[in-house]
Amino acid sequence: MNLLLWHVHGSWTTSFVHGKHRYLVPVTPDRGPYGLGRARTYPWPDTAVEVTPEQLRTADVDLVVLQRPEEVDLAERWLGRRPGRDVPAVYVEHNTPKDGDVPNSRHPMADRDDLLIAHVTGFNELFWDTGATRTTVVDHGIVTPAVQYTGELERLAVVINEPVRRWRVTGTDLLPRFAEIAPLDVFGMRVAGLAEHLGLPPDRLASHDDVPQHRMHAELGRRRAYLHLCRWTSLGLSLIEAMSIGMPVVALAATEAAMAVPPGAGALSTRLDTLLDAARRFIDEPAQARRAGERARAAARDRYGLDRFLADWDRLLEEEVCASR
């Protein structure tokens, strides 16, 4: 099939475009949020093809993968066809509700009979009110990182995008407590200057801004443990990637993390003292860290494997295209 989708979430899209289809990715001269084109820091196959808005007018598109409400109108303008009416459409919901009205949050695609909402976690499906719109869940899948855990550095790794802007949502405010136990390495987008924002000396928190995925994975695997302190996000793919590398995880038991991190793969709790104790234990006892990491790796590769993810999506896409004929 020819699938139209925008480059919105780098890690998720990297997994998605590893399937058997042809992926049309809009590109604009400014490479802005609606024309980012192919990824530059993630490895994408050649079947992910950049297309301009002008080219889309005559493009053969079997299905539109929507990820933001405004893409409905944008797709109609660029394609000359209405998603859900003239061409099948699936709306992928990556996020937890952010409107402040949980648990009564209405999804922007609620009460539609012309598309399917595919949630990336069961938690998201539970907390969004989608009315009469059909929904399903396709759990995340990842391209297995080509690195192995060593844990040689007595440091804690974190991956957060925009930690200053998102602050309590991503648990940025909690980082100083863990920096008392071991130095932190924070990877992600717009992480530069984070130590200064938190009032931490540079020897307690180092920022690694927008590092290419393969390099980030290699660096993560050298750190003793992985911190996941998100209060209210969906399920970060970096958590799954860290587990798949073989890292023990120290995670808040919030949103879908409670389902992703099994017993023995690290520490999962809503009590900060419990997580601080676990981080200290992993720093002090590398053998225990390695054992927990082995359980984390087995769990991540079993549940979040790429083959399962792509097979689930193939079934869903084929059903939606066939139903429209």
Side-chain angles (χ1 to χ4, degrees):
M1 285 185 264
N2 291 319
L3 307 177
L4 169 62
L5 80 157
W6 279 262
H7 177 188
V8 180
H9 296 280
S11 291
W12 182 88
T13 312
T14 296
S15 296
F16 190 76
V17 300
H18 271 78
K20 63 184 181 182
H21 308 287
R22 185 168 178 259
Y23 307 89
L24 307 179
V25 185
V27 63
T28 55
D30 64 350
R31 290 190 178 267
Y34 300 99
L36 192 57
R38 283 176 56 92
R40 298 177 178 180
T41 57
Y42 295 85
W44 284 11
D46 293 339
T47 48
V49 180
E50 291 185 344
V51 290
T52 66
E54 294 75 21
Q55 290 171 325
L56 281 172
R57 177 64 61 161
T58 56
D60 181 14
V61 176
D62 295 298
L63 183 140
V64 180
V65 178
L66 304 164
Q67 300 171 79
R68 294 167 291 189
E70 55 272 28
E71 291 176 1
V72 176
D73 292 334
L74 190 60
E76 183 176 14
R77 291 205 308 273
W78 288 0
L79 288 171
R81 286 159 279 174
R82 183 72 177 173
R85 298 296 183 186
D86 306 315
V87 58
V90 173
Y91 189 101
V92 180
E93 181 50 73
H94 294 280
N95 301 312
T96 50
K98 300 293 196 301
D99 61 358
D101 196 31
V102 174
N104 302 309
S105 302
R106 287 281 288 177
H107 195 276
M109 298 295 119
D111 290 326
R112 296 184 65 128
D113 62 1
D114 57 351
L115 54 79
L116 171 74
I117 297 175
H119 293 280
V120 299
T121 70
F123 187 93
N124 287 5
E125 185 182 46
L126 182 66
F127 273 79
W128 276 111
D129 175 6
T130 53
T133 307
R134 294 178 299 128
T135 67
T136 190
V137 177
V138 180
D139 283 322
H140 282 307
I142 63 167
V143 179
T144 303
V147 300
Q148 293 294 323
Y149 172 75
T150 66
E152 65 203 76
L153 301 179
E154 295 181 353
R155 302 174 69 91
L156 301 172
V158 192
V159 179
I160 308 175
N161 288 329
E162 299 188 69
V164 175
R165 180 182 68 83
R166 298 167 74 195
W167 205 250
R168 283 181 59 84
V169 169
T170 54
T172 308
D173 58 303
L174 304 176
L175 292 176
R177 296 288 303 276
F178 290 88
E180 296 173 5
I181 294 170
L184 307 181
D185 287 292
V186 182
F187 299 82
M189 297 173 60
R190 298 188 179 96
V191 299
L194 181 57
E196 183 179 352
H197 279 284
L198 289 167
L200 292 172
D203 64 332
R204 303 310 294 177
L205 188 150
S207 294
H208 307 270
D209 198 70
D210 207 12
V211 177
Q213 190 187 42
H214 69 282
R215 280 178 43 205
M216 183 185 76
H217 287 162
E219 291 302 322
L220 289 178
R222 299 178 64 211
R223 274 67 186 171
R224 186 63 54 81
Y226 183 83
L227 284 182
H228 180 77
L229 302 176
C230 296
R231 286 186 176 92
W232 189 253
T233 66
S234 191
L235 179 61
L237 282 167
S238 56
L239 170 65
I240 301 171
E241 290 164 356
M243 292 171 62
S244 185
I245 289 169
M247 299 186 74
V249 297
V250 177
L252 281 178
T255 66
E256 189 75 6
M259 299 299 294
V261 182
L268 186 70
S269 179
T270 57
R271 294 187 178 273
L272 198 57
D273 286 346
T274 300
L275 299 182
L276 290 165
D277 289 344
R280 187 176 295 108
R281 187 168 63 251
F282 289 142
I283 291 294
D284 293 341
E285 302 178 26
Q288 185 175 125
R290 182 174 292 278
R291 287 194 295 272
E294 289 171 354
R295 296 188 185 98
R297 181 175 58 237
R301 297 190 179 192
D302 178 59
R303 180 170 180 182
Y304 300 105
L306 185 64
D307 289 345
R308 190 275 311 156
F309 172 79
L310 294 175
D312 287 352
W313 268 108
D314 282 345
R315 283 193 294 271
L316 185 155
L317 295 169
E318 289 163 7
E319 288 170 1
E320 293 304 299
V321 169
C322 289
S324 70
R325 292 173 177 166

